[in-house]
Amino acid sequence: MRRVALRSVAPAALAMAAAAALTLTTAPAAHAVGESSRCTINWTPNFATVGKSGWNFRTGPSTGYSSRGLLYRGDRLTVLCSRGSWDYAQLSRRSRSGMAQGTRGWVREDGLVSLAG
């Protein structure tokens, strides 16, 4: 009787283990998830300063995306990658408009100055 119970449990346990393995192997790579997956060029992080005031920090690489907030002259960013004339960046410190350090978004590259690697 006991032997029969083990045989009926074994296939179920194997099926669950196989499903778990399949889920892990088919998951997307970490870099492919999120906003940065829209990038066409990845950069070694570059540091930039915003050169214009009232510059939108957007959720995507065009004016069709909503603004997370405004950037002002002197705000510092780490540029991670780009798509066309848009750069995906992270705030290096709290912005002058109050956005938290580490906030990520898209900014037009012609609003940035002092790009350096």
Side-chain angles (χ1 to χ4, degrees):
M1 206 41 109
R2 188 175 186 133
R3 190 174 243 183
V4 173
L6 288 176
R7 283 186 188 159
S8 64
V9 172
L14 287 173
M16 287 177 22
L22 181 60
T23 302
L24 292 175
T25 58
T26 59
H31 63 60
V33 178
E35 295 173 89
S36 65
S37 65
R38 297 184 193 130
C39 291
T40 54
I41 299 172
N42 289 312
W43 302 106
T44 301
N46 289 304
F47 303 101
T49 303
V50 177
K52 298 181 179 187
S53 290
W55 212 243
N56 282 300
F57 201 39
R58 297 190 177 273
T59 59
S62 81
T63 57
Y65 289 90
S66 62
S67 178
R68 292 189 191 281
L70 296 175
L71 298 170
Y72 289 91
R73 185 182 312 270
D75 282 338
R76 295 179 184 254
L77 301 167
T78 302
V79 177
L80 305 170
C81 59
S82 63
R83 179 184 187 111
S85 62
W86 291 85
D87 292 329
Y88 183 66
Q90 177 174 314
L91 282 168
S92 301
R93 62 182 184 208
R94 186 174 191 82
S95 73
R96 292 180 182 206
S97 65
M99 283 186 287
Q101 176 182 351
T103 301
R104 290 184 176 196
W106 293 84
V107 63
R108 288 256 323 251
E109 66 183 17
D110 57 346
L112 303 178
V113 294
S114 305
L115 266 141

mmCIF file of all heavy atoms in Angstrom, residues 38-82:
data_model
loop_
_atom_site.group_PDB
_atom_site.id
_atom_site.type_symbol
_atom_site.label_atom_id
_atom_site.label_comp_id
_atom_site.label_asym_id
_atom_site.label_seq_id
_atom_site.Cartn_x
_atom_site.Cartn_y
_atom_site.Cartn_z
ATOM 1 N N ARG A 38 13.944 49.918 -24.292
ATOM 2 C CA ARG A 38 13.662 50.718 -25.481
ATOM 3 C C ARG A 38 14.937 51.297 -26.092
ATOM 4 O O ARG A 38 14.886 51.937 -27.126
ATOM 5 C CB ARG A 38 12.708 51.858 -25.139
ATOM 6 C CG ARG A 38 11.356 51.388 -24.673
ATOM 7 C CD ARG A 38 10.437 52.578 -24.450
ATOM 8 N NE ARG A 38 9.265 52.160 -23.721
ATOM 9 C CZ ARG A 38 8.794 52.753 -22.646
ATOM 10 N NH1 ARG A 38 9.395 53.824 -22.178
ATOM 11 N NH2 ARG A 38 7.723 52.312 -22.034
ATOM 12 N N CYS A 39 16.073 51.125 -25.434
ATOM 13 C CA CYS A 39 17.337 51.700 -25.903
ATOM 14 C C CYS A 39 17.834 50.982 -27.151
ATOM 15 O O CYS A 39 17.649 49.783 -27.314
ATOM 16 C CB CYS A 39 18.408 51.589 -24.818
ATOM 17 S SG CYS A 39 18.093 52.639 -23.403
ATOM 18 N N THR A 40 18.498 51.738 -28.013
ATOM 19 C CA THR A 40 19.154 51.147 -29.169
ATOM 20 C C THR A 40 20.671 51.177 -29.021
ATOM 21 O O THR A 40 21.371 50.428 -29.671
ATOM 22 C CB THR A 40 18.749 51.871 -30.472
ATOM 23 O OG1 THR A 40 19.005 53.261 -30.331
ATOM 24 C CG2 THR A 40 17.279 51.643 -30.778
ATOM 25 N N ILE A 41 21.175 52.042 -28.147
ATOM 26 C CA ILE A 41 22.613 52.124 -27.874
ATOM 27 C C ILE A 41 22.814 52.114 -26.363
ATOM 28 O O ILE A 41 22.239 52.930 -25.657
ATOM 29 C CB ILE A 41 23.236 53.412 -28.453
ATOM 30 C CG1 ILE A 41 23.063 53.453 -29.968
ATOM 31 C CG2 ILE A 41 24.710 53.520 -28.073
ATOM 32 C CD1 ILE A 41 23.476 54.765 -30.596
ATOM 33 N N ASN A 42 23.611 51.179 -25.874
ATOM 34 C CA ASN A 42 23.948 51.140 -24.453
ATOM 35 C C ASN A 42 25.311 51.793 -24.262
ATOM 36 O O ASN A 42 26.226 51.574 -25.042
ATOM 37 C CB ASN A 42 23.999 49.696 -23.946
ATOM 38 C CG ASN A 42 22.623 49.087 -23.878
ATOM 39 O OD1 ASN A 42 21.699 49.687 -23.362
ATOM 40 N ND2 ASN A 42 22.478 47.895 -24.414
ATOM 41 N N TRP A 43 25.418 52.594 -23.236
ATOM 42 C CA TRP A 43 26.652 53.318 -22.942
ATOM 43 C C TRP A 43 27.246 52.822 -21.637
ATOM 44 O O TRP A 43 26.541 52.388 -20.752
ATOM 45 C CB TRP A 43 26.385 54.818 -22.773
ATOM 46 C CG TRP A 43 25.767 55.479 -23.949
ATOM 47 C CD1 TRP A 43 24.478 55.898 -24.065
ATOM 48 C CD2 TRP A 43 26.396 55.812 -25.182
ATOM 49 N NE1 TRP A 43 24.275 56.467 -25.284
ATOM 50 C CE2 TRP A 43 25.437 56.432 -25.995
ATOM 51 C CE3 TRP A 43 27.694 55.643 -25.671
ATOM 52 C CZ2 TRP A 43 25.722 56.890 -27.279
ATOM 53 C CZ3 TRP A 43 27.971 56.097 -26.949
ATOM 54 C CH2 TRP A 43 26.998 56.708 -27.728
ATOM 55 N N THR A 44 28.566 52.947 -21.529
ATOM 56 C CA THR A 44 29.180 52.886 -20.220
ATOM 57 C C THR A 44 28.661 54.146 -19.561
ATOM 58 O O THR A 44 28.653 55.197 -20.195
ATOM 59 C CB THR A 44 30.718 52.946 -20.340
ATOM 60 O OG1 THR A 44 31.142 51.855 -21.139
ATOM 61 C CG2 THR A 44 31.383 52.923 -18.990
ATOM 62 N N PRO A 45 28.166 54.071 -18.340
ATOM 63 C CA PRO A 45 27.531 55.262 -17.765
ATOM 64 C C PRO A 45 28.360 56.534 -17.954
ATOM 65 O O PRO A 45 29.550 56.571 -17.678
ATOM 66 C CB PRO A 45 27.380 54.903 -16.290
ATOM 67 C CG PRO A 45 27.226 53.420 -16.309
ATOM 68 C CD PRO A 45 28.164 52.959 -17.411
ATOM 69 N N ASN A 46 27.703 57.553 -18.510
ATOM 70 C CA ASN A 46 28.289 58.880 -18.718
ATOM 71 C C ASN A 46 27.607 59.853 -17.779
ATOM 72 O O ASN A 46 26.422 59.715 -17.498
ATOM 73 C CB ASN A 46 28.059 59.347 -20.158
ATOM 74 C CG ASN A 46 28.885 58.590 -21.145
ATOM 75 O OD1 ASN A 46 30.097 58.539 -21.029
ATOM 76 N ND2 ASN A 46 28.241 57.991 -22.131
ATOM 77 N N PHE A 47 28.320 60.845 -17.350
ATOM 78 C CA PHE A 47 27.759 61.840 -16.454
ATOM 79 C C PHE A 47 27.458 63.097 -17.246
ATOM 80 O O PHE A 47 28.237 63.491 -18.102
ATOM 81 C CB PHE A 47 28.725 62.110 -15.300
ATOM 82 C CG PHE A 47 29.056 60.846 -14.555
ATOM 83 C CD1 PHE A 47 30.241 60.177 -14.775
ATOM 84 C CD2 PHE A 47 28.138 60.297 -13.667
ATOM 85 C CE1 PHE A 47 30.528 58.985 -14.118
ATOM 86 C CE2 PHE A 47 28.416 59.110 -13.009
ATOM 87 C CZ PHE A 47 29.610 58.456 -13.231
ATOM 88 N N ALA A 48 26.304 63.701 -16.991
ATOM 89 C CA ALA A 48 25.887 64.893 -17.713
ATOM 90 C C ALA A 48 25.223 65.864 -16.754
ATOM 91 O O ALA A 48 24.731 65.477 -15.697
ATOM 92 C CB ALA A 48 24.925 64.524 -18.827
ATOM 93 N N THR A 49 25.207 67.104 -17.162
ATOM 94 C CA THR A 49 24.534 68.160 -16.418
ATOM 95 C C THR A 49 23.453 68.733 -17.321
ATOM 96 O O THR A 49 23.668 68.900 -18.525
ATOM 97 C CB THR A 49 25.539 69.265 -16.034
ATOM 98 O OG1 THR A 49 26.602 68.683 -15.289
ATOM 99 C CG2 THR A 49 24.881 70.349 -15.209
ATOM 100 N N VAL A 50 22.305 69.025 -16.756
ATOM 101 C CA VAL A 50 21.223 69.632 -17.522
ATOM 102 C C VAL A 50 21.604 71.086 -17.803
ATOM 103 O O VAL A 50 22.014 71.811 -16.895
ATOM 104 C CB VAL A 50 19.885 69.535 -16.748
ATOM 105 C CG1 VAL A 50 18.769 70.233 -17.500
ATOM 106 C CG2 VAL A 50 19.537 68.072 -16.494
ATOM 107 N N GLY A 51 21.491 71.497 -19.060
ATOM 108 C CA GLY A 51 21.898 72.840 -19.453
ATOM 109 C C GLY A 51 20.748 73.807 -19.656
ATOM 110 O O GLY A 51 20.961 74.977 -19.926
ATOM 111 N N LYS A 52 19.519 73.315 -19.559
ATOM 112 C CA LYS A 52 18.352 74.175 -19.773
ATOM 113 C C LYS A 52 17.392 73.994 -18.606
ATOM 114 O O LYS A 52 17.343 72.933 -18.000
ATOM 115 C CB LYS A 52 17.645 73.799 -21.070
ATOM 116 C CG LYS A 52 18.525 73.993 -22.289
ATOM 117 C CD LYS A 52 17.802 73.644 -23.567
ATOM 118 C CE LYS A 52 18.717 73.880 -24.760
ATOM 119 N NZ LYS A 52 18.018 73.715 -26.020
ATOM 120 N N SER A 53 16.629 75.011 -18.302
ATOM 121 C CA SER A 53 15.669 74.925 -17.197
ATOM 122 C C SER A 53 14.275 74.584 -17.706
ATOM 123 O O SER A 53 13.884 74.997 -18.802
ATOM 124 C CB SER A 53 15.626 76.235 -16.424
ATOM 125 O OG SER A 53 16.837 76.388 -15.702
ATOM 126 N N GLY A 54 13.539 73.805 -16.907
ATOM 127 C CA GLY A 54 12.192 73.407 -17.274
ATOM 128 C C GLY A 54 12.155 72.303 -18.314
ATOM 129 O O GLY A 54 11.242 72.211 -19.112
ATOM 130 N N TRP A 55 13.164 71.444 -18.298
ATOM 131 C CA TRP A 55 13.319 70.354 -19.258
ATOM 132 C C TRP A 55 12.584 69.129 -18.721
ATOM 133 O O TRP A 55 12.828 68.705 -17.598
ATOM 134 C CB TRP A 55 14.811 70.069 -19.421
ATOM 135 C CG TRP A 55 15.224 69.590 -20.761
ATOM 136 C CD1 TRP A 55 15.767 68.383 -21.037
ATOM 137 C CD2 TRP A 55 15.165 70.289 -22.000
ATOM 138 N NE1 TRP A 55 16.046 68.284 -22.368
ATOM 139 C CE2 TRP A 55 15.684 69.438 -22.976
ATOM 140 C CE3 TRP A 55 14.707 71.540 -22.372
ATOM 141 C CZ2 TRP A 55 15.767 69.805 -24.325
ATOM 142 C CZ3 TRP A 55 14.785 71.911 -23.711
ATOM 143 C CH2 TRP A 55 15.316 71.044 -24.655
ATOM 144 N N ASN A 56 11.678 68.542 -19.520
ATOM 145 C CA ASN A 56 10.905 67.381 -19.067
ATOM 146 C C ASN A 56 11.753 66.126 -18.937
ATOM 147 O O ASN A 56 12.579 65.825 -19.797
ATOM 148 C CB ASN A 56 9.751 67.102 -20.039
ATOM 149 C CG ASN A 56 8.604 68.032 -19.833
ATOM 150 O OD1 ASN A 56 8.029 68.068 -18.753
ATOM 151 N ND2 ASN A 56 8.260 68.798 -20.865
ATOM 152 N N PHE A 57 11.523 65.390 -17.861
ATOM 153 C CA PHE A 57 12.136 64.079 -17.608
ATOM 154 C C PHE A 57 10.994 63.089 -17.818
ATOM 155 O O PHE A 57 10.101 62.973 -16.980
ATOM 156 C CB PHE A 57 12.660 64.049 -16.171
ATOM 157 C CG PHE A 57 13.722 63.021 -15.896
ATOM 158 C CD1 PHE A 57 14.718 62.739 -16.811
ATOM 159 C CD2 PHE A 57 13.739 62.348 -14.684
ATOM 160 C CE1 PHE A 57 15.719 61.814 -16.531
ATOM 161 C CE2 PHE A 57 14.724 61.419 -14.396
ATOM 162 C CZ PHE A 57 15.713 61.159 -15.325
ATOM 163 N N ARG A 58 10.978 62.405 -18.954
ATOM 164 C CA ARG A 58 9.816 61.653 -19.413
ATOM 165 C C ARG A 58 9.894 60.146 -19.134
ATOM 166 O O ARG A 58 10.948 59.605 -18.861
ATOM 167 C CB ARG A 58 9.603 61.893 -20.900
ATOM 168 C CG ARG A 58 9.304 63.354 -21.202
ATOM 169 C CD ARG A 58 8.860 63.558 -22.637
ATOM 170 N NE ARG A 58 8.524 64.947 -22.879
ATOM 171 C CZ ARG A 58 7.325 65.471 -22.660
ATOM 172 N NH1 ARG A 58 6.351 64.725 -22.207
ATOM 173 N NH2 ARG A 58 7.100 66.738 -22.909
ATOM 174 N N THR A 59 8.711 59.504 -19.266
ATOM 175 C CA THR A 59 8.608 58.057 -19.048
ATOM 176 C C THR A 59 9.014 57.258 -20.282
ATOM 177 O O THR A 59 9.152 56.039 -20.203
ATOM 178 C CB THR A 59 7.179 57.665 -18.636
ATOM 179 O OG1 THR A 59 6.274 58.073 -19.663
ATOM 180 C CG2 THR A 59 6.787 58.307 -17.313
ATOM 181 N N GLY A 60 9.201 57.896 -21.416
ATOM 182 C CA GLY A 60 9.605 57.228 -22.643
ATOM 183 C C GLY A 60 10.306 58.187 -23.575
ATOM 184 O O GLY A 60 10.325 59.402 -23.339
ATOM 185 N N PRO A 61 10.881 57.662 -24.673
ATOM 186 C CA PRO A 61 11.723 58.463 -25.562
ATOM 187 C C PRO A 61 10.981 59.259 -26.642
ATOM 188 O O PRO A 61 11.289 59.163 -27.819
ATOM 189 C CB PRO A 61 12.637 57.407 -26.174
ATOM 190 C CG PRO A 61 11.796 56.176 -26.213
ATOM 191 C CD PRO A 61 10.945 56.237 -24.984
ATOM 192 N N SER A 62 10.000 60.062 -26.248
ATOM 193 C CA SER A 62 9.367 61.016 -27.160
ATOM 194 C C SER A 62 8.467 61.939 -26.356
ATOM 195 O O SER A 62 8.158 61.667 -25.190
ATOM 196 C CB SER A 62 8.544 60.300 -28.245
ATOM 197 O OG SER A 62 7.279 59.909 -27.760
ATOM 198 N N THR A 63 8.017 63.017 -26.988
ATOM 199 C CA THR A 63 7.142 63.963 -26.301
ATOM 200 C C THR A 63 5.751 63.382 -26.078
ATOM 201 O O THR A 63 4.949 63.957 -25.350
ATOM 202 C CB THR A 63 7.026 65.283 -27.083
ATOM 203 O OG1 THR A 63 6.562 64.996 -28.400
ATOM 204 C CG2 THR A 63 8.370 65.993 -27.141
ATOM 205 N N GLY A 64 5.459 62.235 -26.660
ATOM 206 C CA GLY A 64 4.180 61.566 -26.452
ATOM 207 C C GLY A 64 4.069 60.888 -25.091
ATOM 208 O O GLY A 64 2.980 60.475 -24.696
ATOM 209 N N TYR A 65 5.176 60.749 -24.385
ATOM 210 C CA TYR A 65 5.176 60.129 -23.054
ATOM 211 C C TYR A 65 4.993 61.198 -21.985
ATOM 212 O O TYR A 65 5.383 62.344 -22.166
ATOM 213 C CB TYR A 65 6.489 59.376 -22.813
ATOM 214 C CG TYR A 65 6.611 58.113 -23.636
ATOM 215 C CD1 TYR A 65 7.190 58.142 -24.900
ATOM 216 C CD2 TYR A 65 6.143 56.897 -23.150
ATOM 217 C CE1 TYR A 65 7.302 56.993 -25.667
ATOM 218 C CE2 TYR A 65 6.257 55.743 -23.908
ATOM 219 C CZ TYR A 65 6.829 55.792 -25.169
ATOM 220 O OH TYR A 65 6.934 54.655 -25.915
ATOM 221 N N SER A 66 4.428 60.792 -20.868
ATOM 222 C CA SER A 66 4.193 61.751 -19.783
ATOM 223 C C SER A 66 5.506 62.144 -19.100
ATOM 224 O O SER A 66 6.499 61.427 -19.170
ATOM 225 C CB SER A 66 3.215 61.181 -18.759
ATOM 226 O OG SER A 66 3.739 60.012 -18.171
ATOM 227 N N SER A 67 5.454 63.277 -18.437
ATOM 228 C CA SER A 67 6.617 63.795 -17.727
ATOM 229 C C SER A 67 6.624 63.303 -16.283
ATOM 230 O O SER A 67 5.590 63.314 -15.624
ATOM 231 C CB SER A 67 6.590 65.322 -17.746
ATOM 232 O OG SER A 67 7.675 65.854 -17.025
ATOM 233 N N ARG A 68 7.783 62.860 -15.807
ATOM 234 C CA ARG A 68 7.940 62.489 -14.394
ATOM 235 C C ARG A 68 8.127 63.745 -13.547
ATOM 236 O O ARG A 68 7.898 63.739 -12.357
ATOM 237 C CB ARG A 68 9.167 61.601 -14.210
ATOM 238 C CG ARG A 68 9.052 60.240 -14.816
ATOM 239 C CD ARG A 68 10.245 59.401 -14.367
ATOM 240 N NE ARG A 68 10.333 58.170 -15.104
ATOM 241 C CZ ARG A 68 9.590 57.094 -14.872
ATOM 242 N NH1 ARG A 68 8.693 57.099 -13.924
ATOM 243 N NH2 ARG A 68 9.734 56.007 -15.591
ATOM 244 N N GLY A 69 8.610 64.793 -14.179
ATOM 245 C CA GLY A 69 8.901 66.047 -13.501
ATOM 246 C C GLY A 69 9.810 66.880 -14.373
ATOM 247 O O GLY A 69 10.148 66.491 -15.486
ATOM 248 N N LEU A 70 10.209 68.015 -13.844
ATOM 249 C CA LEU A 70 11.061 68.919 -14.603
ATOM 250 C C LEU A 70 12.487 68.902 -14.092
ATOM 251 O O LEU A 70 12.734 68.769 -12.892
ATOM 252 C CB LEU A 70 10.510 70.347 -14.524
ATOM 253 C CG LEU A 70 9.136 70.562 -15.152
ATOM 254 C CD1 LEU A 70 8.662 71.988 -14.902
ATOM 255 C CD2 LEU A 70 9.157 70.251 -16.644
ATOM 256 N N LEU A 71 13.412 69.034 -15.040
ATOM 257 C CA LEU A 71 14.834 69.166 -14.724
ATOM 258 C C LEU A 71 15.220 70.618 -14.933
ATOM 259 O O LEU A 71 14.669 71.304 -15.798
ATOM 260 C CB LEU A 71 15.663 68.271 -15.650
ATOM 261 C CG LEU A 71 15.383 66.771 -15.552
ATOM 262 C CD1 LEU A 71 16.096 66.027 -16.686
ATOM 263 C CD2 LEU A 71 15.825 66.234 -14.203
ATOM 264 N N TYR A 72 16.177 71.077 -14.137
ATOM 265 C CA TYR A 72 16.627 72.461 -14.229
ATOM 266 C C TYR A 72 18.137 72.517 -14.414
ATOM 267 O O TYR A 72 18.858 71.576 -14.057
ATOM 268 C CB TYR A 72 16.204 73.242 -12.981
ATOM 269 C CG TYR A 72 14.710 73.469 -12.956
ATOM 270 C CD1 TYR A 72 13.867 72.563 -12.333
ATOM 271 C CD2 TYR A 72 14.148 74.562 -13.606
ATOM 272 C CE1 TYR A 72 12.487 72.749 -12.344
ATOM 273 C CE2 TYR A 72 12.784 74.762 -13.621
ATOM 274 C CZ TYR A 72 11.955 73.852 -12.995
ATOM 275 O OH TYR A 72 10.600 74.024 -13.021
ATOM 276 N N ARG A 73 18.587 73.649 -14.954
ATOM 277 C CA ARG A 73 20.018 73.856 -15.195
ATOM 278 C C ARG A 73 20.809 73.482 -13.940
ATOM 279 O O ARG A 73 20.495 73.922 -12.846
ATOM 280 C CB ARG A 73 20.271 75.321 -15.553
ATOM 281 C CG ARG A 73 21.703 75.625 -15.937
ATOM 282 C CD ARG A 73 21.907 77.104 -16.225
ATOM 283 N NE ARG A 73 20.894 77.665 -17.116
ATOM 284 C CZ ARG A 73 20.999 77.697 -18.457
ATOM 285 N NH1 ARG A 73 22.065 77.206 -19.032
ATOM 286 N NH2 ARG A 73 20.041 78.228 -19.181
ATOM 287 N N GLY A 74 21.790 72.610 -14.122
ATOM 288 C CA GLY A 74 22.638 72.187 -13.014
ATOM 289 C C GLY A 74 22.276 70.824 -12.434
ATOM 290 O O GLY A 74 23.082 70.230 -11.720
ATOM 291 N N ASP A 75 21.073 70.301 -12.721
ATOM 292 C CA ASP A 75 20.745 68.944 -12.261
ATOM 293 C C ASP A 75 21.722 67.962 -12.896
ATOM 294 O O ASP A 75 22.107 68.109 -14.057
ATOM 295 C CB ASP A 75 19.308 68.569 -12.641
ATOM 296 C CG ASP A 75 18.266 69.200 -11.733
ATOM 297 O OD1 ASP A 75 18.607 69.579 -10.602
ATOM 298 O OD2 ASP A 75 17.096 69.299 -12.160
ATOM 299 N N ARG A 76 22.123 66.963 -12.126
ATOM 300 C CA ARG A 76 23.122 65.997 -12.604
ATOM 301 C C ARG A 76 22.483 64.644 -12.867
ATOM 302 O O ARG A 76 21.672 64.171 -12.084
ATOM 303 C CB ARG A 76 24.245 65.851 -11.592
ATOM 304 C CG ARG A 76 25.037 67.128 -11.440
ATOM 305 C CD ARG A 76 26.127 66.968 -10.406
ATOM 306 N NE ARG A 76 26.806 68.235 -10.226
ATOM 307 C CZ ARG A 76 28.026 68.475 -10.695
ATOM 308 N NH1 ARG A 76 28.694 67.551 -11.316
ATOM 309 N NH2 ARG A 76 28.573 69.652 -10.492
ATOM 310 N N LEU A 77 22.901 64.040 -13.998
ATOM 311 C CA LEU A 77 22.366 62.758 -14.438
ATOM 312 C C LEU A 77 23.490 61.794 -14.778
ATOM 313 O O LEU A 77 24.588 62.209 -15.142
ATOM 314 C CB LEU A 77 21.515 62.947 -15.707
ATOM 315 C CG LEU A 77 20.323 63.880 -15.635
ATOM 316 C CD1 LEU A 77 19.819 64.175 -17.044
ATOM 317 C CD2 LEU A 77 19.230 63.259 -14.804
ATOM 318 N N THR A 78 23.180 60.516 -14.695
ATOM 319 C CA THR A 78 24.040 59.467 -15.227
ATOM 320 C C THR A 78 23.320 58.912 -16.439
ATOM 321 O O THR A 78 22.222 58.362 -16.313
ATOM 322 C CB THR A 78 24.265 58.348 -14.199
ATOM 323 O OG1 THR A 78 24.842 58.911 -13.016
ATOM 324 C CG2 THR A 78 25.174 57.266 -14.739
ATOM 325 N N VAL A 79 23.881 59.085 -17.629
ATOM 326 C CA VAL A 79 23.266 58.616 -18.869
ATOM 327 C C VAL A 79 23.623 57.144 -19.049
ATOM 328 O O VAL A 79 24.799 56.778 -19.063
ATOM 329 C CB VAL A 79 23.729 59.459 -20.073
ATOM 330 C CG1 VAL A 79 23.136 58.925 -21.365
ATOM 331 C CG2 VAL A 79 23.357 60.922 -19.864
ATOM 332 N N LEU A 80 22.596 56.301 -19.192
ATOM 333 C CA LEU A 80 22.783 54.856 -19.274
ATOM 334 C C LEU A 80 22.741 54.327 -20.705
ATOM 335 O O LEU A 80 23.480 53.417 -21.059
ATOM 336 C CB LEU A 80 21.716 54.153 -18.431
ATOM 337 C CG LEU A 80 21.647 54.614 -16.969
ATOM 338 C CD1 LEU A 80 20.417 54.042 -16.290
ATOM 339 C CD2 LEU A 80 22.916 54.215 -16.240
ATOM 340 N N CYS A 81 21.851 54.891 -21.526
ATOM 341 C CA CYS A 81 21.713 54.437 -22.902
ATOM 342 C C CYS A 81 20.914 55.477 -23.673
ATOM 343 O O CYS A 81 20.464 56.474 -23.101
ATOM 344 C CB CYS A 81 21.048 53.062 -22.967
ATOM 345 S SG CYS A 81 19.400 52.980 -22.241
ATOM 346 N N SER A 82 20.725 55.240 -24.971
ATOM 347 C CA SER A 82 19.985 56.219 -25.761
ATOM 348 C C SER A 82 19.197 55.553 -26.876
ATOM 349 O O SER A 82 19.418 54.393 -27.232
ATOM 350 C CB SER A 82 20.927 57.280 -26.333
ATOM 351 O OG SER A 82 21.847 56.683 -27.212
#
